[in-house]
């Protein structure tokens, strides 16, 4: 299956999850996973959130992200990945003067009965 983000409408979200500033994102969702190609503008952030029932993998395409992960601060640069396992909390900031472009994957963890 090919996911072509050029064919997915870009959304502009202000104050994503209670954060600050502007996020531009193109999202694919199928009920089992969410895959997002996003751009966090300079000075913007997401809000603090806990991953319950899912986890998140964030690959930085360009720019630099500052992640606040379970009370620690991590700098993630181009070509690096931030991972937030289920049950953990994080938020990210773009503290630079250029756009932060990233690919985020959020697989849902469903228990089959």
């Amino acid at each position: 299956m090919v996911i072509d983000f050029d064919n997915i409408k870009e959304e502009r979200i202000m104050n994503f999850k209670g954060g600050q500033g502007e996020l531009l994102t193109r999202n694919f969702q199928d009920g089992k996973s969410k895959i997002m190609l996003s751009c966090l503008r300079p000075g913007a952030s997401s809000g603090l959130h806990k991953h319950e029932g899912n986890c998140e993998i964030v690959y930085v395409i360009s720019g630099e992200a500052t992640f606040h992960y379970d009370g620690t601060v991590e700098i993630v640069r181009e070509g690096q990945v931030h991972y937030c396992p289920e049950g953990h909390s994080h938020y990210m900031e773009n503290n630079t003067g250029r756009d932060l472009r990233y690919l985020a994957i959020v697989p849902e963890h469903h228990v089959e009965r």
Side-chain angles (χ1 to χ4, degrees), residues 15-34:
N15 309 321
F16 182 65
K17 293 192 180 253
Q20 301 289 318
E22 182 179 38
L23 172 72
L24 301 174
T25 189
R26 295 173 190 263
N27 299 332
F28 168 84
Q29 296 181 67
D30 68 357
K32 296 183 183 201
S33 294
K34 185 180 208 181

Side-chain angles (χ1 to χ4, degrees), residues 46-59:
S46 67
L48 177 65
H49 58 281
K50 184 174 184 175
H51 282 271
E52 295 179 354
N54 61 33
C55 62
E56 185 170 17
I57 301 116
V58 180
Y59 174 77

Side-chain angles (χ1 to χ4, degrees), residues 3-106:
I3 298 168
D4 186 348
F5 287 105
D6 288 338
N7 293 325
I8 298 174
K9 184 180 178 191
E10 185 173 73
E11 297 177 57
R12 178 178 177 259
I13 301 171
M14 295 302 295
N15 309 321
F16 182 65
K17 293 192 180 253
Q20 301 289 318
E22 182 179 38
L23 172 72
L24 301 174
T25 189
R26 295 173 190 263
N27 299 332
F28 168 84
Q29 296 181 67
D30 68 357
K32 296 183 183 201
S33 294
K34 185 180 208 181
I35 303 171
M36 302 161 281
L37 181 63
S38 302
C39 175
L40 192 61
R41 296 293 195 188
S45 66
S46 67
L48 177 65
H49 58 281
K50 184 174 184 175
H51 282 271
E52 295 179 354
N54 61 33
C55 62
E56 185 170 17
I57 301 116
V58 180
Y59 174 77
V60 175
I61 297 167
S62 63
E64 179 180 284
T66 300
F67 279 93
H68 299 261
Y69 169 71
D70 286 347
T72 64
V73 177
E74 303 173 340
I75 303 298
V76 183
R77 295 180 176 86
E78 222 169 273
Q80 294 181 320
V81 172
H82 166 77
Y83 175 57
C84 186
E86 182 175 13
H88 294 262
S89 300
H90 70 159
Y91 73 96
M92 78 167 101
E93 298 178 297
N94 180 354
N95 292 326
T96 73
R98 64 180 223 175
D99 287 345
L100 166 61
R101 297 195 65 230
Y102 63 93
L103 179 72
I105 300 169
V106 181

